[in-house]
Amino acid sequence: MAENGEEKLIAMARHIAKTLGHNESTADDILQIFSNFDGRFSRENLSDHIAAAVPGTDSRALDHAIKSLDRQISQYVVADQPIWSDSADSAAFLDTIDELTATIRDWTPMAAADKAVGASLARAEDLIQQAVFRLEDEFRMLMERGGESFELNRRRRRDANGEYHDYIPVAQPLTDYDVVIDALPSGTINDLHEIAKRMVAAGFGKECSHVYSSCRRDFLEESVSRLGLQQKLSSEEVQKMPWQDLEDEIEKWIKAANVLLRILFPSERRLCDRVFFGLSSAADLSFMEVCRGSTIQILNFADAVAIGSRSPERLFKILDLFETLRDLIPEFECNFSDQYCLVLRNEAVAIWNRLREAIRGMFMELENLIRRDPAKDPVPGGGLHPITRYVMNYLLAACRSRETLEQVFEDSVNGGLGAKDSSASPLSVQMAWIMELLESNLEQKAKIYGDPALCAVFMMNNEKYIVKKVKDIDPKNSQLSALLGDDWIRKHTAKVKQYHLNYQRSSWNKILGVLKADNSSPAATEKIKLFNSQFEEVYKTQSQWVVFDEQLRKDIRTSLTNLLLPAYGNFIGRFQNSPEAGRNVDKYIKYSLEDVESRINRLFQGGSGSAGGGRK
């Protein structure tokens, strides 16, 4: 577009008049200077423009000035090529809009008293709307063209002094989030800022924000898609998803949420603040509209998981989700600190709390699982019950996230958990309660054996496994021990010993009674026959029983050897010297001391392949 020298001189005359103020002397001086400068300008023509520059003068001058501005603006509004393809054209267009905006602002107070002024201002409002529509188109073209011509993956890293420097990204896992993405060139940002100022000043701030956000929102949505998240999954779709697929989606969610909250949203905030510098309300609105869709997408997914199944097996992935959202809450508060984003910030906190409730619910489901586990088929040989192994390994794995679980349970109500020590943490109380439920369930299962000795072996096996797991010295597994405490460990170690004693009494007291020297007892030959049959029966039965722990098995055998061999040795000695034995001692003594010891050492070898034989 060719520069219009006449229009520029008129604009200069109006500016001088407005700056100096309108009075007769000033007007004459200005008219004289400009009419002498260029004979094309009559005093009457210039007089109208000078009068329009100062409100309160002739309304005909206002009308003439608006017509002049209309001619200037119209040539840009109808232009086929982008105005911002030429810096001189864009500057002249903005100056004209500034002049029109100032004229409307200055003359508006007189509109009520002067109908002619009101009519002129109505035309001016139509004109400013046309200009803003073109500004909106130019704004959109700058956004689109700037994004296409600029390297969208250009990144800047902040150094120790807080300054940003360009760097070339490499293909490796993203662990450093101290990165800002520059999505538009600085020159384009400056042009956008100048347009935004005019649109806001003209009362079209929301329209400007809408154009801006629609362009940037597309960029964010594409970024989310590239991060691997499925678009617009409904809550029902998430909850119906197979768990393995949902696990994969949670992993993608964790990565995407971190990139969004730590890189993309801060970068968008920075861009908004630069484009709408000095226009905080427009900047806040634009940022909210840009980020709302992506934010709602990630929050809806987390919410769908939170209100979904509370199967205990899901705990560990839900903990990952909970921890990620917890760590991102400060990022939500930082990025979404303005009034427009308050609802997003509050929703993030609400969903984080729903995840907390989901985790508590999973522990409640674990409790229910233990309560409902039926006492039907006994574990062969009194071995380790699957529920014991499951619960203990579950708790050990869960307690590796002790710090998170402490946070989850810190607000829970202790009532109903059987807490006796008010100084214990809520998580400690929760763990002790689950252990109590497990032991109660095992006691019910033990009753189905019928044989008191086998019942004691079953409880001894399971209690030993529980204590061994709790006392695990592996740092990864030591948190459960810390939560339950030394007193708990001592108490349950004593239980193992008590079950051991119960087993010995139930199995061997009857045999030991046979071996005692008693004048009222049957004849010696009858006693040795009775011992042989009882020992053979116990050996045959208990060699098929299971004691999974090697040290416990060794301790039981040692205690039996120490208990039985002296008594049996004394009995054989008395029998050999008795008149009843006569010359046929070997006929009655079926087991030597070595035979008895050998058979004791072969007890509890059964069920190596059974459900109770495992030791993991």
Side-chain angles (χ1 to χ4, degrees):
M1 297 177 195
E3 292 187 1
N4 191 325
E6 179 180 351
E7 299 293 354
K8 286 187 173 294
L9 285 173
I10 291 174
M12 186 180 297
R14 287 170 53 80
H15 176 70
I16 294 172
K18 185 173 181 180
T19 303
L20 298 179
H22 187 272
N23 56 55
E24 188 175 347
S25 174
T26 302
D28 286 342
D29 292 341
I30 295 172
L31 290 170
Q32 185 63 47
I33 291 170
F34 277 90
S35 61
N36 292 338
F37 177 78
D38 192 328
R40 292 176 298 170
F41 299 110
S42 67
R43 290 179 63 87
E44 291 181 359
N45 187 14
L46 284 173
S47 179
D48 288 341
H49 286 286
I50 293 171
V54 183
T57 58
D58 193 346
S59 61
R60 289 176 300 173
L62 170 64
D63 184 65
H64 186 85
I66 290 175
K67 289 179 180 178
S68 175
L69 291 170
D70 188 0
R71 289 193 299 272
Q72 297 176 66
I73 289 174
S74 295
Q75 63 179 327
Y76 295 108
V77 168
V78 300
D80 293 331
Q81 64 184 27
I83 299 173
W84 261 258
S85 61
D86 186 291
S87 58
D89 286 340
S90 60
F93 186 42
L94 291 177
D95 287 344
T96 306
I97 292 174
D98 288 342
E99 187 174 352
L100 179 58
T101 303
T103 299
I104 294 172
R105 182 184 63 245
D106 294 340
W107 281 86
T108 296
M110 276 69 76
D114 190 331
K115 292 183 178 180
V117 170
S120 296
L121 290 179
R123 292 195 299 275
E125 292 288 353
D126 290 340
L127 183 58
I128 197 69
Q129 191 171 35
Q130 295 176 39
V132 166
F133 287 161
R134 183 57 193 252
L135 281 178
E136 187 176 312
D137 291 339
E138 295 290 326
F139 192 95
R140 181 181 291 103
M141 284 189 285
L142 283 171
M143 292 282 294
E144 294 172 352
R145 190 171 69 232
E148 292 171 359
S149 63
F150 198 57
E151 297 179 23
L152 288 179
N153 62 347
R154 178 183 173 214
R155 296 181 180 138
R156 311 177 77 203
R157 189 182 298 279
R158 186 164 52 199
D159 63 18
N161 298 319
E163 297 180 357
Y164 288 94
H165 302 279
D166 294 345
Y167 80 100
I168 299 174
V170 293
Q172 59 185 9
L174 184 61
T175 57
D176 182 4
Y177 295 105
D178 194 11
V179 171
V180 172
I181 297 176
D182 283 332
L184 296 172
S186 294
T188 300
I189 293 173
N190 292 335
D191 290 337
L192 292 169
H193 173 61
E194 294 300 323
I195 294 176
K197 282 198 303 184
R198 272 65 179 196
M199 291 184 70
V200 171
F204 291 85
K206 288 186 177 181
E207 288 75 6
C208 185
S209 293
H210 177 72
V211 175
Y212 175 89
S213 61
S214 64
C215 294
R216 296 306 303 160
R217 187 164 53 241
D218 292 342
F219 167 81
L220 268 187
E221 289 178 355
E222 181 181 355
S223 299
V224 171
S225 178
R226 290 185 177 185
L227 289 169
L229 286 186
Q230 294 189 41
Q231 295 289 324
K232 298 179 180 179
L233 280 174
S234 69
S235 178
E236 185 178 0
E237 288 173 325
V238 172
Q239 292 169 21
K240 287 184 176 180
M241 193 178 293
W243 175 237
Q244 187 173 0
D245 293 343
L246 187 54
E247 282 186 301
D248 294 339
E249 285 300 311
I250 290 174
E251 285 294 328
K252 295 174 185 176
W253 184 95
I254 289 172
K255 295 175 183 176
N258 274 296
V259 172
L260 279 172
L261 270 296
R262 299 182 189 276
I263 296 179
L264 295 179
F265 287 172
S267 297
E268 290 300 325
R269 178 80 256 187
R270 182 170 178 266
L271 181 60
C272 272
D273 289 343
R274 292 179 67 189
V275 170
F276 297 98
F277 179 74
L279 310 167
S280 60
S281 180
D284 294 342
L285 177 61
S286 299
F287 177 72
M288 185 275 291
E289 290 189 345
V290 168
C291 300
R292 179 175 54 187
S294 299
T295 304
I296 290 175
Q297 181 181 348
I298 62 171
L299 290 180
N300 282 350
F301 177 84
D303 191 39
V305 173
I307 63 178
S309 169
R310 296 191 174 182
S311 173
E313 288 78 8
R314 298 189 171 205
L315 172 70
F316 306 101
K317 278 298 176 186
I318 307 304
L319 280 172
D320 291 343
L321 202 62
F322 176 85
E323 289 171 346
T324 300
L325 194 51
R326 175 198 63 196
D327 295 342
L328 289 176
I329 291 297
E331 305 300 329
F332 274 99
E333 293 174 345
C334 178
N335 288 312
F336 302 140
S337 58
D338 59 81
Q339 58 176 338
Y340 294 107
C341 294
L342 179 62
V343 64
L344 297 177
R345 187 169 72 246
N346 290 344
E347 183 65 10
V349 174
I351 292 172
W352 178 52
N353 284 324
R354 283 199 281 276
L355 285 169
R356 182 202 304 265
E357 291 302 320
I359 293 170
R360 291 178 185 169
M362 289 171 187
F363 277 89
M364 292 179 65
E365 282 301 309
L366 177 63
E367 295 171 18
N368 293 332
L369 183 150
I370 295 170
R371 289 191 186 96
R372 293 192 298 259
D373 194 61
K376 290 184 177 179
D377 300 325
V379 175
L384 183 64
H385 198 282
I387 190 67
T388 307
R389 184 188 297 112
Y390 174 83
V391 171
M392 293 310 301
N393 287 332
Y394 185 93
L395 294 182
L396 285 174
C399 287
R400 292 173 187 171
S401 302
R402 177 184 174 182
E403 182 180 349
T404 300
L405 289 176
E406 292 278 16
Q407 188 175 21
V408 166
F409 284 97
E410 64 184 0
D411 296 327
S412 65
V413 179
N414 289 342
L417 296 183
K420 296 180 180 179
D421 184 0
S422 60
S423 65
S425 73
L427 181 60
S428 297
V429 173
Q430 177 69 49
M431 293 298 148
W433 173 240
I434 291 176
M435 301 302 292
E436 187 175 329
L437 287 175
L438 175 60
E439 289 181 326
S440 177
N441 180 272
L442 291 171
E443 288 169 359
Q444 294 300 315
K445 287 177 166 61
K447 294 178 181 178
I448 64 176
Y449 284 102
D451 183 344
L454 186 54
C455 173
V457 168
F458 174 78
M459 291 304 299
M460 181 168 49
N461 266 318
N462 286 273
E463 194 71 47
K464 179 65 177 180
Y465 183 86
I466 290 170
V467 172
K468 189 173 183 179
K469 284 291 185 178
V470 172
K471 291 173 66 176
D472 194 336
I473 61 174
D474 186 338
K476 294 187 298 183
N477 297 332
S478 62
Q479 296 302 320
L480 183 57
S481 173
L483 286 167
L484 293 173
D486 293 338
D487 288 343
W488 189 96
I489 293 174
R490 281 192 292 269
K491 176 183 175 182
H492 288 78
T493 301
K495 281 190 174 184
V496 176
K497 294 178 180 178
Q498 185 60 51
Y499 290 130
H500 181 183
L501 290 174
N502 293 347
Y503 155 74
Q504 284 190 179
R505 292 193 188 105
S506 301
S507 287
W508 299 97
N509 277 5
K510 187 177 180 181
I511 294 178
L512 289 171
V514 172
L515 299 177
K516 285 182 180 180
D518 189 347
N519 293 330
S520 63
S521 61
T525 54
E526 293 301 319
K527 279 192 172 185
I528 191 96
K529 290 179 181 178
L530 190 59
F531 171 83
N532 289 341
S533 64
Q534 289 183 354
F535 182 74
E536 181 68 27
E537 182 182 353
V538 169
Y539 167 72
K540 183 178 179 181
T541 300
Q542 295 191 12
S543 62
Q544 298 302 310
W545 290 2
V546 175
V547 174
F548 83 92
D549 183 77
E550 183 178 352
Q551 185 60 48
L552 179 59
R553 189 167 59 247
K554 181 179 179 181
D555 291 344
I556 295 173
R557 290 170 175 171
T558 300
S559 69
L560 289 177
T561 300
N562 294 337
L563 182 69
L564 190 59
L565 288 187
Y568 185 59
N570 290 334
F571 175 79
I572 290 177
R574 292 196 308 272
F575 178 73
Q576 288 173 333
N577 294 324
S578 70
E580 296 178 54
R583 297 179 180 179
N584 299 315
V585 172
D586 294 339
K587 175 182 176 182
Y588 296 103
I589 300 176
K590 185 175 182 180
Y591 299 106
S592 67
L593 289 175
E594 291 76 12
D595 291 335
V596 170
E597 183 176 13
S598 174
R599 280 164 171 73
I600 288 174
N601 287 332
R602 292 202 295 271
L603 296 178
F604 313 115
Q605 290 185 336
S608 59
S610 69
R615 297 169 53 189
K616 293 183 180 179

